Amino acid sequence: MGIEPILFLLRHTPFWSVPTFIIAGQFSYIYWLKGYRKIAAILGLLVLISFIVTLFYIWAGGPDNAPHVFLKFIR
């Protein structure tokens, strides 16, 4: 297993990141209100990761440039 799955996820970021952001955000809020702070924090971290990846996707220039910018970043 190489780096291809990561590049695939970066190329198709809006299709997984935006729904994850919305769903995890909603459940994080619900669990926070119910008093399950640990679960809410984990879901909040998932929201943060999705948001950061979406910002990177936008900053990199979309599906064609995001994998190339990522490869330049790690090399």
Side-chain angles (χ1 to χ4, degrees):
M1 185 168 171
I3 196 163
E4 290 85 17
I6 295 171
L7 297 178
F8 178 81
L9 286 174
L10 283 174
R11 183 176 297 269
H12 302 289
T13 294
F15 297 107
W16 66 266
S17 182
V18 174
T20 301
F21 180 79
I22 293 170
I23 293 168
Q26 181 176 0
F27 278 104
S28 175
Y29 179 67
I30 290 171
Y31 281 118
W32 184 267
L33 290 177
K34 289 186 175 189
Y36 298 111
R37 306 289 189 216
K38 195 173 200 179
I39 297 173
I42 292 169
L43 290 170
L45 182 64
L46 187 61
V47 168
L48 182 65
I49 291 169
S50 296
F51 185 68
I52 289 171
V53 172
T54 303
L55 287 179
F56 172 77
Y57 177 84
I58 293 168
W59 174 79
D64 295 330
N65 292 337
H68 298 295
V69 172
F70 178 73
L71 286 175
K72 285 182 186 178
F73 181 71
I74 63 170
R75 289 186 183 166

Coordinates of all heavy atoms in Angstrom, one line a residue:
M1 N 0.9 -1.2 0.0 CA 0.0 0.0 0.0 C 0.9 1.2 0.0 O 1.7 1.4 0.9 CB -0.9 0.0 1.2 CG -1.9 1.1 1.3 SD -3.1 0.7 2.6 CE -4.0 2.2 2.6
G2 N 0.7 2.1 -1.0 CA 1.5 3.2 -1.1 C 0.8 4.5 -0.7 O -0.1 4.6 0.1
I3 N 1.1 5.5 -1.5 CA 0.6 6.9 -1.2 C -0.7 7.1 -2.1 O -1.3 8.2 -1.9 CB 1.7 7.9 -1.4 CG1 1.3 9.2 -0.8 CG2 2.0 8.1 -2.9 CD1 2.4 10.2 -0.6
E4 N -1.0 6.2 -2.9 CA -2.1 6.4 -3.9 C -3.5 6.7 -3.2 O -4.2 7.5 -3.6 CB -2.2 5.3 -4.8 CG -1.1 5.2 -5.9 CD 0.1 4.5 -5.4 OE1 0.0 3.7 -4.3 OE2 1.2 4.7 -5.9
P5 N -3.8 5.9 -2.1 CA -5.1 6.2 -1.4 C -5.1 7.7 -0.8 O -6.2 8.3 -0.9 CB -5.1 5.2 -0.3 CG -4.2 4.1 -0.7 CD -3.1 4.7 -1.5
I6 N -4.0 8.2 -0.3 CA -4.0 9.5 0.2 C -4.2 10.5 -0.9 O -5.0 11.5 -0.8 CB -2.7 9.8 0.9 CG1 -2.6 8.9 2.2 CG2 -2.5 11.3 1.3 CD1 -1.2 9.0 2.9
L7 N -3.6 10.3 -2.1 CA -3.7 11.2 -3.2 C -5.2 11.1 -3.7 O -5.7 12.1 -4.2 CB -2.7 10.8 -4.3 CG -1.3 11.0 -4.0 CD1 -0.4 10.5 -5.2 CD2 -1.0 12.4 -3.6
F8 N -5.8 9.9 -3.7 CA -7.2 9.8 -4.1 C -8.1 10.6 -3.2 O -9.0 11.3 -3.6 CB -7.6 8.3 -4.1 CG -9.0 8.1 -4.4 CD1 -9.4 8.1 -5.8 CD2 -10.0 7.9 -3.5 CE1 -10.7 7.9 -6.1 CE2 -11.3 7.7 -3.8 CZ -11.7 7.7 -5.1
L9 N -7.8 10.5 -1.9 CA -8.6 11.3 -0.9 C -8.5 12.8 -1.1 O -9.4 13.5 -0.9 CB -8.3 10.8 0.5 CG -8.8 9.5 1.0 CD1 -8.3 9.1 2.3 CD2 -10.3 9.4 0.9
L10 N -7.2 13.2 -1.4 CA -7.0 14.6 -1.6 C -7.7 15.1 -2.9 O -8.2 16.2 -2.9 CB -5.5 14.9 -1.7 CG -4.8 14.9 -0.4 CD1 -3.3 15.1 -0.6 CD2 -5.3 16.1 0.5
R11 N -7.7 14.3 -3.9 CA -8.3 14.7 -5.2 C -9.8 14.8 -5.0 O -10.5 15.6 -5.7 CB -8.0 13.7 -6.3 CG -8.5 14.0 -7.6 CD -8.1 13.0 -8.7 NE -6.7 13.0 -8.9 CZ -6.0 13.8 -9.8 NH1 -6.7 14.6 -10.5 NH2 -4.7 13.7 -9.9
H12 N -10.4 14.0 -4.2 CA -11.9 13.9 -4.0 C -12.3 14.5 -2.6 O -13.3 14.0 -2.0 CB -12.4 12.5 -4.2 CG -12.1 12.0 -5.6 ND1 -12.7 12.4 -6.7 CD2 -11.2 11.1 -6.0 CE1 -12.2 11.8 -7.8 NE2 -11.3 11.0 -7.3
T13 N -11.6 15.5 -2.1 CA -11.8 16.0 -0.8 C -13.3 16.5 -0.5 O -13.9 16.1 0.5 CB -10.8 17.1 -0.5 OG1 -9.5 16.6 -0.4 CG2 -11.2 17.8 0.8
P14 N -13.9 17.2 -1.4 CA -15.2 17.7 -1.1 C -16.3 16.6 -0.9 O -17.3 16.8 -0.2 CB -15.6 18.6 -2.3 CG -14.3 19.0 -2.9 CD -13.4 17.8 -2.7
F15 N -16.1 15.5 -1.5 CA -17.1 14.4 -1.5 C -17.0 13.7 -0.1 O -18.0 13.0 0.2 CB -16.9 13.4 -2.6 CG -17.1 14.1 -4.0 CD1 -16.0 14.4 -4.8 CD2 -18.3 14.5 -4.4 CE1 -16.2 15.0 -6.0 CE2 -18.5 15.1 -5.6 CZ -17.4 15.3 -6.4
W16 N -16.0 13.8 0.6 CA -15.9 13.1 1.9 C -15.8 14.1 3.1 O -16.3 13.9 4.1 CB -14.8 12.0 2.0 CG -13.4 12.6 1.9 CD1 -12.7 12.7 0.8 CD2 -12.7 13.1 3.0 NE1 -11.5 13.2 1.1 CE2 -11.4 13.5 2.4 CE3 -12.9 13.2 4.4 CZ2 -10.4 14.0 3.2 CZ3 -11.8 13.8 5.1 CH2 -10.6 14.2 4.6
S17 N -15.1 15.2 2.8 CA -14.8 16.1 3.9 C -16.0 17.0 4.3 O -16.2 17.2 5.5 CB -13.6 17.0 3.4 OG -13.3 17.9 4.5
V18 N -16.7 17.5 3.4 CA -17.9 18.3 3.7 C -19.0 17.6 4.5 O -19.4 18.0 5.5 CB -18.4 19.1 2.5 CG1 -19.7 19.8 2.8 CG2 -17.3 20.0 1.9
P19 N -19.4 16.4 4.0 CA -20.4 15.6 4.8 C -19.8 15.2 6.2 O -20.6 15.3 7.2 CB -20.6 14.4 3.9 CG -20.3 14.8 2.6 CD -19.1 15.7 2.7
T20 N -18.5 14.9 6.2 CA -17.9 14.5 7.5 C -18.0 15.7 8.5 O -18.3 15.6 9.7 CB -16.5 14.0 7.3 OG1 -16.5 12.9 6.5 CG2 -15.9 13.6 8.7
F21 N -17.6 16.9 7.9 CA -17.6 18.1 8.7 C -19.0 18.4 9.3 O -19.2 18.7 10.5 CB -17.2 19.3 7.8 CG -17.2 20.6 8.4 CD1 -16.1 20.9 9.3 CD2 -18.2 21.5 8.2 CE1 -16.1 22.2 9.9 CE2 -18.1 22.7 8.8 CZ -17.1 23.1 9.7
I22 N -20.0 18.2 8.5 CA -21.4 18.5 8.9 C -21.9 17.5 9.9 O -22.4 17.8 11.0 CB -22.4 18.6 7.7 CG1 -22.0 19.8 6.8 CG2 -23.8 18.7 8.1 CD1 -22.7 19.9 5.5
I23 N -21.7 16.2 9.6 CA -22.3 15.1 10.5 C -21.5 15.1 11.8 O -22.1 15.0 12.9 CB -22.2 13.8 9.7 CG1 -23.2 13.8 8.5 CG2 -22.5 12.6 10.7 CD1 -23.0 12.6 7.6
A24 N -20.2 15.1 11.7 CA -19.4 15.1 13.0 C -19.6 16.3 13.8 O -19.7 16.3 15.1 CB -17.9 14.9 12.7
G25 N -19.8 17.5 13.2 CA -20.1 18.7 13.9 C -21.4 18.6 14.7 O -21.5 19.0 15.8
Q26 N -22.4 18.1 14.0 CA -23.8 18.0 14.6 C -23.7 17.0 15.8 O -24.2 17.3 16.9 CB -24.8 17.5 13.6 CG -26.2 17.4 14.2 CD -27.2 17.0 13.2 OE1 -26.9 16.9 12.0 NE2 -28.4 16.9 13.6
F27 N -23.1 15.8 15.6 CA -23.0 14.8 16.7 C -22.1 15.3 17.8 O -22.3 15.0 19.0 CB -22.6 13.5 16.2 CG -23.7 12.7 15.6 CD1 -23.8 12.6 14.2 CD2 -24.6 12.1 16.4 CE1 -24.9 11.9 13.6 CE2 -25.7 11.4 15.8 CZ -25.8 11.3 14.4
S28 N -21.1 16.0 17.5 CA -20.2 16.6 18.5 C -21.0 17.5 19.4 O -20.9 17.5 20.7 CB -19.0 17.4 17.9 OG -18.3 18.0 18.9
Y29 N -21.8 18.4 18.8 CA -22.7 19.3 19.6 C -23.7 18.5 20.5 O -23.9 18.8 21.7 CB -23.4 20.2 18.7 CG -24.3 21.2 19.4 CD1 -23.8 22.2 20.2 CD2 -25.7 21.1 19.2 CE1 -24.6 23.1 20.9 CE2 -26.5 22.0 19.9 CZ -25.9 23.0 20.7 OH -26.8 23.9 21.4
I30 N -24.3 17.5 19.9 CA -25.3 16.7 20.7 C -24.6 16.0 21.8 O -25.1 16.0 23.0 CB -25.9 15.6 19.7 CG1 -26.9 16.4 18.8 CG2 -26.7 14.6 20.5 CD1 -27.4 15.5 17.6
Y31 N -23.4 15.4 21.6 CA -22.7 14.7 22.7 C -22.2 15.7 23.7 O -22.2 15.3 24.9 CB -21.6 13.8 22.2 CG -22.1 12.5 21.6 CD1 -21.9 12.2 20.2 CD2 -22.7 11.6 22.4 CE1 -22.3 11.0 19.7 CE2 -23.1 10.4 21.9 CZ -22.9 10.1 20.5 OH -23.4 8.9 20.0
W32 N -21.9 16.8 23.3 CA -21.4 17.9 24.3 C -22.6 18.2 25.2 O -22.4 18.4 26.4 CB -20.9 19.1 23.5 CG -20.3 20.1 24.4 CD1 -21.0 21.2 24.9 CD2 -19.0 20.2 24.9 NE1 -20.2 21.9 25.7 CE2 -18.9 21.3 25.8 CE3 -17.9 19.4 24.8 CZ2 -17.8 21.7 26.4 CZ3 -16.7 19.8 25.4 CH2 -16.7 20.9 26.2
L33 N -23.7 18.4 24.6 CA -24.9 18.8 25.4 C -25.3 17.6 26.4 O -25.8 17.9 27.5 CB -26.1 19.1 24.5 CG -26.0 20.4 23.8 CD1 -27.2 20.6 22.9 CD2 -25.9 21.6 24.7
K34 N -25.1 16.4 26.0 CA -25.4 15.3 26.8 C -24.4 15.0 27.9 O -24.6 14.2 28.8 CB -25.6 14.0 26.0 CG -26.9 14.0 25.2 CD -27.1 12.7 24.5 CE -28.4 12.7 23.7 NZ -28.8 11.4 23.2
G35 N -23.2 15.6 27.8 CA -22.2 15.5 28.8 C -21.1 14.5 28.5 O -20.3 14.2 29.3
Y36 N -21.2 13.9 27.3 CA -20.1 13.0 26.9 C -19.0 13.8 26.2 O -18.8 13.9 25.0 CB -20.7 12.0 25.8 CG -21.8 11.1 26.4 CD1 -23.1 11.3 26.0 CD2 -21.5 10.2 27.4 CE1 -24.1 10.5 26.4 CE2 -22.5 9.4 27.9 CZ -23.8 9.5 27.4 OH -24.8 8.7 27.9
R37 N -18.1 14.4 27.1 CA -17.1 15.3 26.6 C -16.0 14.6 25.8 O -15.5 15.2 24.9 CB -16.4 16.0 27.8 CG -17.4 16.7 28.7 CD -18.0 17.9 28.1 NE -18.8 18.6 29.1 CZ -19.8 19.3 28.9 NH1 -20.3 19.3 27.7 NH2 -20.5 19.9 29.8
K38 N -15.6 13.4 26.1 CA -14.6 12.7 25.4 C -15.0 12.4 24.0 O -14.2 12.6 23.0 CB -14.2 11.4 26.1 CG -12.9 10.8 25.7 CD -12.6 9.6 26.6 CE -11.1 9.3 26.6 NZ -10.7 8.2 27.4
I39 N -16.2 11.9 23.8 CA -16.7 11.6 22.4 C -16.9 12.9 21.7 O -16.5 13.0 20.5 CB -18.0 10.8 22.5 CG1 -17.8 9.5 23.2 CG2 -18.6 10.7 21.1 CD1 -19.0 8.7 23.4
A40 N -17.3 13.9 22.3 CA -17.5 15.2 21.7 C -16.2 15.8 21.2 O -16.0 16.4 20.2 CB -18.2 16.2 22.6
A41 N -15.1 15.6 22.0 CA -13.8 16.1 21.7 C -13.2 15.3 20.5 O -12.6 15.9 19.6 CB -12.9 16.0 22.9
I42 N -13.5 14.0 20.4 CA -13.0 13.2 19.3 C -13.7 13.6 18.0 O -13.1 13.8 17.0 CB -13.2 11.7 19.6 CG1 -12.3 11.3 20.7 CG2 -13.0 10.9 18.3 CD1 -12.5 9.9 21.2
L43 N -15.0 13.8 18.1 CA -15.7 14.3 16.9 C -15.3 15.7 16.5 O -15.3 16.0 15.4 CB -17.2 14.2 17.2 CG -17.8 12.8 17.3 CD1 -19.2 12.8 17.7 CD2 -17.7 12.1 15.9
G44 N -15.0 16.5 17.5 CA -14.6 17.9 17.2 C -13.2 17.9 16.5 O -13.0 18.7 15.7
L45 N -12.4 16.9 16.9 CA -11.1 16.8 16.2 C -11.3 16.3 14.8 O -10.6 16.8 13.9 CB -10.2 15.8 17.0 CG -8.8 15.5 16.4 CD1 -8.0 16.8 16.5 CD2 -8.2 14.4 17.2
L46 N -12.3 15.5 14.6 CA -12.6 15.0 13.2 C -13.1 16.2 12.4 O -12.8 16.4 11.2 CB -13.6 13.9 13.3 CG -14.0 13.2 12.0 CD1 -12.8 12.6 11.4 CD2 -15.1 12.2 12.2
V47 N -13.9 17.1 13.0 CA -14.4 18.3 12.3 C -13.2 19.2 12.0 O -13.1 19.7 10.8 CB -15.4 19.1 13.2 CG1 -15.6 20.5 12.7 CG2 -16.7 18.3 13.4
L48 N -12.2 19.4 12.9 CA -11.1 20.2 12.6 C -10.2 19.6 11.5 O -9.8 20.4 10.6 CB -10.2 20.3 13.9 CG -9.0 21.2 13.8 CD1 -9.4 22.6 13.6 CD2 -8.2 21.0 15.1
I49 N -10.0 18.3 11.5 CA -9.2 17.7 10.4 C -9.9 17.9 9.1 O -9.3 18.2 8.1 CB -9.0 16.2 10.7 CG1 -8.1 16.0 11.9 CG2 -8.5 15.4 9.5 CD1 -8.0 14.6 12.4
S50 N -11.2 17.7 9.0 CA -12.0 17.8 7.8 C -11.9 19.3 7.3 O -11.8 19.5 6.1 CB -13.4 17.5 8.0 OG -13.6 16.1 8.3
F51 N -12.0 20.2 8.2 CA -11.9 21.6 7.9 C -10.6 22.0 7.3 O -10.4 22.7 6.3 CB -12.3 22.5 9.1 CG -12.4 23.9 8.8 CD1 -13.4 24.4 8.0 CD2 -11.5 24.8 9.3 CE1 -13.5 25.8 7.7 CE2 -11.5 26.2 9.0 CZ -12.6 26.7 8.2
I52 N -9.5 21.5 7.9 CA -8.1 21.8 7.5 C -7.9 21.2 6.1 O -7.3 21.9 5.2 CB -7.1 21.3 8.5 CG1 -7.2 22.2 9.8 CG2 -5.7 21.3 8.0 CD1 -6.4 21.7 10.9
V53 N -8.3 20.0 5.9 CA -8.2 19.4 4.6 C -8.9 20.1 3.5 O -8.5 20.3 2.4 CB -8.5 17.9 4.6 CG1 -8.5 17.2 3.3 CG2 -7.6 17.1 5.5
T54 N -10.1 20.6 3.8 CA -10.9 21.4 2.9 C -10.2 22.7 2.6 O -10.2 23.1 1.4 CB -12.3 21.6 3.4 OG1 -12.9 20.4 3.7 CG2 -13.2 22.4 2.4
L55 N -9.7 23.3 3.6 CA -8.9 24.6 3.3 C -7.7 24.3 2.5 O -7.4 25.1 1.6 CB -8.5 25.2 4.6 CG -9.6 25.9 5.4 CD1 -9.1 26.5 6.7 CD2 -10.3 27.0 4.6
F56 N -7.0 23.2 2.7 CA -5.8 22.9 1.9 C -6.3 22.6 0.4 O -5.6 23.0 -0.5 CB -5.1 21.6 2.4 CG -4.1 21.1 1.5 CD1 -2.8 21.7 1.5 CD2 -4.3 20.0 0.7 CE1 -1.8 21.3 0.6 CE2 -3.3 19.5 -0.1 CZ -2.1 20.2 -0.2
Y57 N -7.4 21.9 0.3 CA -7.9 21.6 -1.1 C -8.2 22.9 -1.8 O -7.8 23.1 -3.0 CB -9.2 20.8 -0.9 CG -9.9 20.5 -2.2 CD1 -9.5 19.4 -3.0 CD2 -11.0 21.2 -2.7 CE1 -10.1 19.1 -4.2 CE2 -11.6 20.9 -3.8 CZ -11.2 19.8 -4.6 OH -11.9 19.5 -5.8
I58 N -8.8 23.9 -1.2 CA -9.1 25.2 -1.8 C -7.8 26.0 -2.1 O -7.7 26.5 -3.1 CB -10.1 26.0 -0.9 CG1 -11.4 25.3 -0.8 CG2 -10.2 27.4 -1.4 CD1 -12.4 25.8 0.2
W59 N -6.9 26.0 -1.1 CA -5.7 26.7 -1.3 C -4.8 26.1 -2.4 O -4.2 26.8 -3.1 CB -4.9 26.7 0.1 CG -3.6 27.3 0.0 CD1 -3.3 28.6 0.0 CD2 -2.3 26.6 -0.1 NE1 -1.9 28.8 -0.1 CE2 -1.3 27.6 -0.2 CE3 -2.0 25.3 -0.2 CZ2 0.0 27.2 -0.3 CZ3 -0.6 24.9 -0.3 CH2 0.3 25.9 -0.4
A60 N -4.8 24.8 -2.5 CA -4.0 24.1 -3.5 C -4.5 24.3 -4.9 O -3.8 24.2 -5.9 CB -3.9 22.6 -3.2
G61 N -5.8 24.6 -5.0 CA -6.3 24.9 -6.4 C -7.3 23.8 -6.9 O -7.5 23.8 -8.2
G62 N -7.8 22.9 -6.1 CA -8.8 22.0 -6.7 C -8.2 20.6 -6.9 O -7.1 20.3 -6.4
P63 N -9.0 19.8 -7.6 CA -8.7 18.4 -7.7 C -7.4 18.1 -8.5 O -6.7 17.0 -8.2 CB -9.9 17.8 -8.3 CG -10.5 18.9 -9.1 CD -10.2 20.1 -8.3
D64 N -7.0 18.9 -9.4 CA -5.9 18.6 -10.2 C -4.6 19.0 -9.5 O -3.5 18.3 -9.7 CB -5.9 19.3 -11.6 CG -7.1 18.8 -12.4 OD1 -7.4 17.6 -12.3 OD2 -7.7 19.6 -13.2
N65 N -4.6 20.1 -8.7 CA -3.4 20.6 -8.1 C -3.1 20.1 -6.7 O -2.0 20.0 -6.2 CB -3.4 22.1 -8.1 CG -3.3 22.7 -9.5 OD1 -2.8 22.1 -10.4 ND2 -3.8 23.9 -9.6
A66 N -4.2 19.7 -6.0 CA -4.0 19.3 -4.6 C -3.0 18.1 -4.4 O -2.2 18.2 -3.5 CB -5.4 18.9 -3.9
P67 N -3.1 17.0 -5.2 CA -2.2 15.9 -5.0 C -0.7 16.4 -5.3 O 0.2 16.0 -4.6 CB -2.6 14.8 -6.0 CG -4.0 15.1 -6.2 CD -4.2 16.6 -6.1
H68 N -0.6 17.2 -6.3 CA 0.8 17.7 -6.7 C 1.4 18.6 -5.6 O 2.6 18.4 -5.3 CB 0.8 18.4 -8.0 CG 0.3 17.5 -9.2 ND1 1.0 16.4 -9.6 CD2 -0.8 17.6 -10.0 CE1 0.4 15.9 -10.6 NE2 -0.7 16.6 -10.8
V69 N 0.6 19.4 -5.1 CA 1.1 20.3 -4.0 C 1.4 19.5 -2.8 O 2.4 19.7 -2.1 CB 0.0 21.4 -3.7 CG1 0.4 22.2 -2.4 CG2 -0.2 22.3 -4.8
F70 N 0.6 18.5 -2.5 CA 0.9 17.6 -1.3 C 2.2 16.8 -1.5 O 3.0 16.7 -0.6 CB -0.3 16.6 -1.1 CG 0.0 15.6 0.0 CD1 -0.1 16.0 1.3 CD2 0.3 14.3 -0.3 CE1 0.1 15.2 2.3 CE2 0.5 13.4 0.7 CZ 0.4 13.8 2.1
L71 N 2.4 16.3 -2.7 CA 3.7 15.6 -3.0 C 4.9 16.5 -2.9 O 5.9 16.1 -2.4 CB 3.6 15.0 -4.4 CG 2.7 13.7 -4.5 CD1 2.6 13.3 -6.0 CD2 3.2 12.6 -3.6
K72 N 4.7 17.8 -3.4 CA 5.8 18.7 -3.2 C 6.1 19.0 -1.8 O 7.2 19.2 -1.3 CB 5.5 20.0 -4.0 CG 5.7 19.9 -5.5 CD 5.4 21.2 -6.1 CE 5.3 21.1 -7.6 NZ 5.0 22.4 -8.2
F73 N 5.0 19.1 -1.0 CA 5.1 19.4 0.4 C 5.9 18.3 1.2 O 6.7 18.6 2.1 CB 3.7 19.6 1.0 CG 3.7 20.0 2.5 CD1 4.2 21.2 2.9 CD2 3.3 19.1 3.4 CE1 4.2 21.6 4.3 CE2 3.3 19.4 4.8 CZ 3.7 20.6 5.2
I74 N 5.6 17.0 0.9 CA 6.2 15.9 1.7 C 7.6 15.6 1.2 O 8.3 14.9 1.8 CB 5.3 14.7 1.7 CG1 5.1 14.1 0.4 CG2 4.0 15.0 2.4 CD1 4.4 12.7 0.4
R75 N 8.0 16.0 0.0 CA 9.3 15.7 -0.5 C 10.2 16.8 -0.3 O 10.4 17.7 0.1 CB 9.2 15.4 -2.0 CG 8.5 14.1 -2.2 CD 8.5 13.7 -3.7 NE 7.8 12.4 -3.8 CZ 7.4 11.9 -4.9 NH1 7.7 12.5 -6.0 NH2 6.7 10.8 -4.9

